[in-house]
Structure formats: structure tokens, C-alpha cells
Amino acid sequence: MKNLKQRLKQGETLNGCWLNLGSSLTAELVGQAGFDWVLIDLEHGAGSEKDVLYQLQALEHTTAGAIVRVESAESQRIHRVLDMGAEGVMCPKISSPEEAQKVVNGLHYPPHGNRGVAKMVRATGFAQNFAQYYEDARETILGIVQIETVAVLDHLDAVAAIDGVDVLFIGPADLSMELGIFGQFDHPRFKEALQETVNAAQKAGKSTGILFFNPNDYQTYHELGIRLIACGADATFVADGARSLAQKLNGFRRAFNV
């Protein structure tokens, strides 16, 4: 564990990015780059649950903590990635306190949730460390719910107040789409929703996160109070690097008339 939950509680800002290629090699490359955390994306990424296992193994000896975004709040999806060794779980499109509670229930063992007990799994050192893992789980597993729907904006305080919801994570693309202002991140209504989310999290002693697309926006979101920060993805890094080099080579070809 890379202590993401405790570091956020202490007020640290944690920088991360997305992993959406389903590749253990790009996971390892990105993990070694210096990020505090990475998110393995099962909602939109190319990989399957089996690929998650390989990516977690690749990340273990890097500096990056591993969070997995599951497709839904179904407990079985959450149990699976935690048993594989994920340090945190993100669930998309939460619309109500009831849905947020369902996420938390999947994160934790009874009496705090309904996570099934399995000792012979990677997270517990294949049964060697189960007692310690069980004892520490409440303080180490990071629970993240995504603020992406219009409906949840009416319940931010209630969602943030749930024990086990550690981060309200804004999904700007989906939220702006639902607000009818897709991609307009400077729109007053989007900014208002951001501020409402941060206010609710701070009131409950929780953290706020966001994925943004321009690294130059870092200061804006940090000054707003957002501490779990994500920018970029392995697919973006590969695509940008490939395009940049191809454009440079094509420029040389034109210049030399070859």
C-alpha cells in the first residue's frame, strides 16, 4: 500500500493519471514516471479484470498507488479488484446517497460492509497477511465516488457525510454533458457545481478529486481545494509521442524533398 488515504487525510496533494490501455507494460512505465497514483480504468479502458491483475503486479514496485475504476457499484466488481490488491476503488455516475452507500458496503468487511472474505488472494499475501490486512483495511482502502450526474448535485452533503466515502471525484466530461454544456469547463454552471462539490467534501472532512486535460489548469483546481489530481493517460502519452515524432520526421522529409 502507498498510503494514499492517509496522505489525503493529512492534506497532501496527490498527482495521478489514467491507465486505459489495459497494458502491464505501460502501467509499469507510467508507474515509474513519478506519479503518486494511477487509475486502472475498467469502465472505458481496453483491459479486462484479468488485465487488472497484471497491471497491479507491474505497479507494485513503483511509487504509484493503484486505484481501479469499476464499471458499477455491484459488490462483486468491487470485491474482485480489492482481492487483487487495489488500494482504492472509484465508482462512476453515483446519483444518490443510497448508491454511494452501496459502494462503501462493497469496500469493507462486515460489520462495516458486505465484502466477502477470501484469504487466499493477492491482497492478503495469499493468506500470509490476512489478519493485518483485515485490521488495516478501514484505514487504507480509498473509497471514491464520481460526481458526474445532475441528480447527485442535490445530495452532495449527504454523500460526502457517508463513512467510507473518502473522495468526491468530479468527472468533467460526463458532468458537463449532463448539465447541457459539454466541454464548457469555464461555464458558470460547471464552476458552480465544482464549488458545491468541494464545499460538501470539506464540510465532511473529505477530499475532492478531478481529471482535467490541460496541465496548465493545475493551479486553478488546486486553489479551489482539489487534492486528488489527475491529468493525462497512457493512451494519450503514446498517441502524443507518436504524433509528435511522425510530424517531425514528415517535416524533415518535406524540407529535404525526399
Side-chain angles (χ1 to χ4, degrees):
M1 291 292 188
K2 310 293 170 65
N3 298 315
L4 299 180
K5 185 168 181 171
Q6 294 306 315
R7 291 167 68 185
L8 282 174
K9 281 186 174 181
Q10 293 164 9
E12 190 174 342
T13 300
L14 302 181
N15 298 329
C17 70
W18 252 229
L19 295 176
N20 50 28
L21 289 178
S23 166
S24 60
L25 290 176
T26 58
E28 189 171 22
L29 283 166
V30 172
Q32 292 177 349
F35 291 100
D36 299 302
W37 63 279
V38 294
L39 181 131
I40 300 168
D41 191 3
L42 277 178
E43 184 191 13
H44 294 299
S48 65
E49 283 185 346
K50 185 175 182 179
D51 298 310
V52 169
L53 173 60
Y54 300 143
Q55 290 173 89
L56 291 171
Q57 290 174 322
L59 288 164
E60 183 169 357
H61 299 294
T62 75
T63 60
I67 297 168
V68 179
R69 178 162 70 174
V70 293
E71 308 96 313
S72 72
E74 293 302 317
S75 295
Q76 291 82 0
R77 304 277 65 77
I78 297 172
H79 299 172
R80 289 276 289 171
V81 298
L82 288 176
D83 285 349
M84 291 179 195
E87 186 165 349
V89 174
M90 179 185 290
C91 192
K93 286 191 174 290
I94 295 301
S95 295
S96 68
E98 291 76 19
E99 289 182 8
Q101 185 62 59
K102 185 176 181 180
V103 175
V104 171
N105 290 344
L107 292 172
H108 298 293
Y109 297 113
H112 306 290
N114 59 20
R115 180 181 174 184
V117 176
K119 291 186 176 182
M120 191 57 68
V121 294
R122 183 172 180 272
T124 69
F126 299 100
Q128 295 183 83
N129 309 316
F130 179 79
Q132 191 65 55
Y133 181 83
Y134 175 82
E135 183 177 333
D136 294 343
R138 289 275 292 166
E139 297 304 319
T140 55
I141 293 173
L142 190 66
I144 308 170
V145 297
Q146 284 202 268
I147 307 303
E148 301 182 296
T149 68
V150 172
V152 78
L153 298 178
D154 293 327
H155 305 288
L156 291 172
D157 287 343
V159 169
I162 295 172
D163 187 19
V165 170
D166 302 305
V167 181
L168 305 185
F169 198 97
I170 298 139
D174 279 298
L175 183 57
S176 64
M177 175 76 77
E178 289 232 350
L179 289 169
I181 48 171
F182 180 64
Q184 299 179 50
F185 305 130
D186 289 326
H187 193 283
R189 183 64 189 102
F190 184 79
K191 288 184 174 181
E192 181 183 24
L194 281 184
Q195 190 65 65
E196 291 170 351
T197 303
V198 172
N199 291 347
Q202 290 179 341
K203 191 186 309 180
K206 308 296 179 65
S207 301
T208 314
I210 195 169
L211 169 67
F212 53 87
F213 310 101
N214 184 346
N216 294 324
D217 291 334
Y218 190 103
Q219 183 177 0
T220 298
Y221 292 120
H222 189 269
E223 288 181 348
L224 195 62
I226 295 173
R227 294 294 177 264
L228 192 65
I229 286 178
C231 185
D234 55 354
T236 307
F237 304 148
V238 172
D240 286 351
R243 278 194 292 263
S244 176
L245 183 56
Q247 288 168 5
K248 186 174 290 187
L249 294 177
N250 289 336
F252 287 139
R253 180 169 60 189
R254 289 191 296 270
F256 300 140
N257 293 315
V258 296

